[in-house]
Amino acid sequence: MKDFAAIDFETANQYRTSICSVGLVIVRNGEIVDRFYSLIQPEPNFYSYWNTRVHGITQADTENAPVFPFVWKEIAIRIEGLPLVAHNKAFDEGCLKAVFRTYCMDYPDYTFFCTLQSSRKKIKNLPNYQLHTVAACCGYTLENHHHALADAEACAWIAREII
């Protein structure tokens, strides 16, 4: 795949609507041409210990962050006409659809591809298919795992190799 937008969300708690950060990497003609990252005030606005332990984002970090609709306005213009790619699209697409419903936004029915599903089909004998493992197999070292922009970039790298 040569033209797409790799996207990754981190959530504040167990609710899919609680997006607290987003990373986006735009690929055109097989090259990364744009990167975008933002913290987001989650909805509902509380942090679980376990989620913070994974990504390190806290209530204090997003206290003055914009809410999702404002961030999505910046993203929507960047991704217009592009398919989206995520590593475990069930999670990221689920978050996106849930937060669109929460804010009564019309969901544009984005085309989503999944590097997790693709890697399971195309790469055999990995010890697991976690993002960092698949990225390493594709020649990319993921150094800041669970930072939404770093994860989106790893996903973009994988997608260029196997989708």
Side-chain angles (χ1 to χ4, degrees):
M1 184 178 312
K2 293 190 177 231
D3 298 314
F4 62 90
I7 194 163
D8 184 75
F9 297 114
E10 299 298 330
T11 55
N13 54 58
Q14 69 272 25
Y15 297 103
R16 295 278 194 242
T17 58
S18 70
I19 296 170
C20 61
S21 71
V22 59
L24 181 75
V25 173
I26 305 295
V27 176
R28 294 198 186 272
N29 293 319
E31 298 296 324
I32 294 173
V33 297
D34 191 16
R35 292 173 177 86
F36 176 83
Y37 175 79
S38 182
L39 292 171
I40 300 171
Q41 258 187 56
E43 179 58 46
N45 196 354
F46 72 90
Y47 283 78
S48 77
Y49 167 81
W50 297 109
N51 290 57
T52 293
R53 188 170 174 197
V54 167
H55 52 59
I57 301 170
T58 67
Q59 185 90 36
D61 294 322
T62 58
E63 186 175 322
N64 296 312
V67 293
F68 179 82
F70 291 106
V71 174
W72 197 255
K73 282 181 186 177
E74 292 185 52
I75 292 173
I77 58 174
R78 287 177 159 92
I79 66 171
E80 189 172 342
L82 294 173
L84 300 178
V85 179
H87 195 77
N88 189 7
K89 87 169 197 158
F91 175 78
D92 295 285
E93 186 177 27
C95 288
L96 190 57
K97 287 179 176 180
V99 78
F100 263 73
R101 280 190 305 272
T102 294
Y103 286 102
C104 300
M105 298 165 62
D106 291 329
Y107 188 77
D109 202 26
Y110 294 109
T111 300
F112 249 97
F113 292 93
C114 183
T115 56
L116 175 61
Q117 292 172 359
S118 294
S119 64
R120 285 181 173 152
K121 290 177 187 172
K122 295 184 178 183
I123 304 171
K124 301 299 178 196
N125 302 318
L126 288 180
N128 61 61
Y129 290 86
Q130 296 173 9
L131 180 62
H132 64 280
T133 304
V134 178
C137 179
C138 292
Y140 183 83
T141 302
L142 177 55
E143 294 183 4
N144 198 5
H145 195 18
H146 297 298
H147 182 282
L149 184 56
D151 287 0
E153 188 160 338
C155 179
W157 187 278
I158 296 166
R160 290 188 304 182
E161 297 294 314
I162 66 171
I163 296 181

